[in-house]
Amino acid sequence: MSAAEQTEIIIIGGGIAGAGAAFEMSRTSKVVVLERESHCGYHTTGRSAASFTENYGNGIIRRIVLASRAFLTEPPSGFCDYPLLSKRGMITVARADQLELLREDLEAAQALVPSIVAMTPAEAIARVPVLRADYLAGAYIEPHSMDIDVNGLHQGYLRGARACGARIVTNAGVKAIGRQGGQWRAETPAGTFLAPMLVNAAGAWGDQIAVMAGVRPIGLQPKRRTAFNIPAPAGVDISDWPLVNDIGAEFYFKPDAGQLFVSPADATPSAPMDAYAEDIDVAIGAERLERATTIEVQRVSRSWAGLRTFVADGSPVVGPDDEVPDFIWLVGQGGYGIKTSPALSRVCASLIAGKGFPDDVARQGVSMDDLTPHRLRGVEPKARQVAS
Ligand SMILES: Cc1cc2nc3c(=O)[nH]c(=O)nc-3n(C[C@H](O)[C@H](O)[C@H](O)COP(=O)(O)OP(=O)(O)OC[C@H]3O[C@@H](n4cnc5c(N)ncnc54)[C@H](O)[C@@H]3O)c2cc1C
């Protein structure tokens, strides 16, 4: 049997969360990322809508997104060859029976993102001509909503981490976690790893990792979301269309590499698994799209699903476990894990390094109390920070 590999931080999971954490932590520590699949990004990270909007998710999420924008707009030099964000815009639409909801939502949205403005149905149809005049009763637009180059961001994190000496080990599903000499010991088919600090960035499997490590789970609930591509309407250039989002979270669609990306915005509770699209959810998405637009769905070119994983209050969970402070949570990013990854990675790295909560994230109105796992257990934390 080969000797265990000694490192300073083990990160379990090579999705956007684990990759972002490795990028930040490898600047000051020796890091190993353990990923079960043959490539990082196979699960939720590779299945997203790639959208950067500041107007989606609860108030904590929206503030973390604001704290992430600077990194995505101007990543460190050499991070990637192309811009990570590109212009998209997002129109939120409402039927007559949803107008009250639209009004309330617009007020709250403008408080945080002042560039959001109401638009008439005619203005919305001018931007997206397939929207039905007899469906649309109201709309507003977030003009600075963007598309994210998810692969560019994910690979940039991994490349940057490797450049600082991190090891990214694939085909390394963690099968057992124990203690050895006061450290964590993680056993995988790719070898055994020892470190004083363990970061749980296992997405939908986060609670399973906790149980393996003898840590109390926090009630993570994966929820399946379906997406599919259909061809663009014949002869129509859709490349400049904004993302169109239903105010009641019944559907959304956007251009996607020459086709349309459509989602019924489903959120079906699921066990952690390799999620796939159910025919019924694709059919529901197609029916809702046809109701709101003049598009007739003739052919679905590709469908897939991913798990968005939440805790009870819908905010991410970042920081040391309140009972086992060398076990660090980085989970519960829900449907927002790509666009929040710059700020959440920094928060996690800063706490591990004993530097406290980053000032720029605090200035957006987010505190450690909003993210700490202890909030989910109704107990006082034994330790909010981990000394380096
Ligand atoms: C349809 C859809 C649309 C979305 N749209 C957006 C969007 O527009 N914008 C946005 O910001 N977010 C969006 N999201 C959410 C975003 O994709 C997720 O929040 C994010 O990808 C979560 O990243 P993660 O690294 O936590 O999880 P994952 O990418 O799932 O990574 C977790 C990794 O842990 C690994 N793992 C698990 N168990 C083990 C083990 N025992 N040993 C080793 N490795 C293990 C898994 O193999 C996996 O690779 C969307 C999600 C979906 C499904």
Side-chain angles (χ1 to χ4, degrees):
M1 203 176 84
S2 59
E5 181 173 329
Q6 178 71 54
T7 189
E8 290 171 346
I9 301 172
I10 293 170
I11 298 175
I12 301 179
I16 202 82
F23 176 76
E24 293 293 342
M25 292 171 190
S26 60
R27 297 170 190 215
T28 51
S29 303
K30 203 171 163 196
V31 172
V32 170
V33 176
L34 300 176
E35 168 53 51
R36 181 184 51 214
E37 305 296 344
S38 59
H39 71 274
C40 296
Y42 173 75
H43 287 287
T44 311
T45 295
R47 308 178 189 202
S48 86
S51 164
F52 178 93
T53 160
E54 292 165 340
N55 183 41
Y56 186 49
N58 70 23
I60 306 292
I61 296 287
R62 293 174 190 214
R63 290 178 162 80
I64 297 168
V65 172
L66 293 173
S68 296
R69 185 161 199 143
F71 182 100
L72 294 170
T73 308
E74 223 170 305
S77 96
F79 186 84
C80 61
D81 296 335
Y82 305 98
L84 290 171
L85 296 183
S86 52
K87 204 166 159 36
R88 175 60 55 207
M90 175 164 138
I91 294 182
T92 298
V93 297
R95 300 182 301 263
D97 63 301
Q98 296 171 311
L99 276 178
E100 190 49 39
L101 185 58
L102 187 81
R103 257 192 295 273
E104 286 167 16
D105 196 76
L106 175 59
E107 221 167 273
Q110 285 173 325
L112 208 58
V113 188
S115 58
I116 291 178
V117 286
M119 67 197 313
T120 62
E123 286 167 335
I125 292 169
R127 291 292 306 271
V128 184
V130 292
L131 285 168
R132 284 181 185 277
D134 58 358
Y135 178 92
L136 212 59
Y140 68 71
I141 183 160
E142 180 187 349
H144 304 306
S145 163
M146 311 290 269
D147 277 349
I148 309 178
D149 178 348
V150 178
N151 188 51
L153 178 62
H154 191 211
Q155 292 305 321
Y157 283 146
L158 292 172
R159 204 171 31 244
R162 280 196 195 96
C164 287
R167 278 235 300 139
I168 317 294
V169 189
T170 51
N171 297 309
V174 175
K175 305 273 182 241
I177 302 173
R179 292 286 194 178
Q180 183 175 323
Q183 302 194 72
W184 290 108
R185 178 187 168 96
E187 290 175 27
T188 83
T192 298
F193 299 83
L194 288 176
M197 202 73 76
L198 187 83
V199 177
N200 177 7
W205 291 267
D207 269 349
Q208 287 188 359
I209 294 296
V211 170
M212 230 189 261
V215 171
R216 266 206 297 159
I218 54 173
L220 284 166
Q221 177 60 67
K223 294 185 179 175
R224 188 180 69 237
R225 174 149 294 184
T226 308
F228 56 96
N229 285 134
I230 57 170
V236 179
D237 178 7
I238 63 166
S239 57
D240 281 343
W241 284 7
L243 186 154
V244 175
N245 176 46
D246 170 64
I247 185 68
E250 294 181 13
F251 66 88
Y252 60 97
F253 63 92
K254 63 175 257 188
D256 180 18
Q259 303 198 68
L260 268 186
F261 168 112
V262 186
S263 173
D266 47 334
T268 310
S270 165
M273 63 183 290
D274 187 357
Y276 56 89
E278 299 277 0
D279 289 348
I280 181 72
D281 292 321
V282 174
I284 289 170
E287 192 268 330
R288 290 176 181 171
L289 181 76
E290 289 181 340
R291 207 153 26 109
T293 70
T294 54
I295 293 172
E296 284 176 31
V297 179
Q298 311 270 356
R299 184 165 64 83
V300 170
S301 33
R302 189 167 82 93
S303 64
W304 67 96
L307 298 178
R308 302 152 79 243
T309 300
F310 298 85
V311 291
D313 62 12
S315 295
V317 183
V318 185
D321 186 80
D322 46 300
E323 294 164 349
V324 186
D326 51 3
F327 183 93
I328 315 297
W329 294 89
L330 181 54
V331 295
Q333 297 89 340
Y336 330 99
I338 311 293
K339 62 186 177 177
T340 55
S341 64
L344 293 182
S345 303
R346 269 187 304 117
V347 168
C348 197
S350 184
L351 293 174
I352 281 203
K355 292 182 184 158
F357 202 78
D359 285 343
D360 69 302
V361 185
R363 273 198 300 277
Q364 293 293 348
V366 182
S367 76
M368 187 60 215
D369 289 343
D370 297 317
L371 303 180
T372 180
H374 87 89
R375 74 184 196 268
L376 301 161
R377 298 189 170 132
V379 295
E380 278 304 305
K382 283 188 185 149
R384 291 205 180 171
Q385 287 175 18
V386 179
S388 52

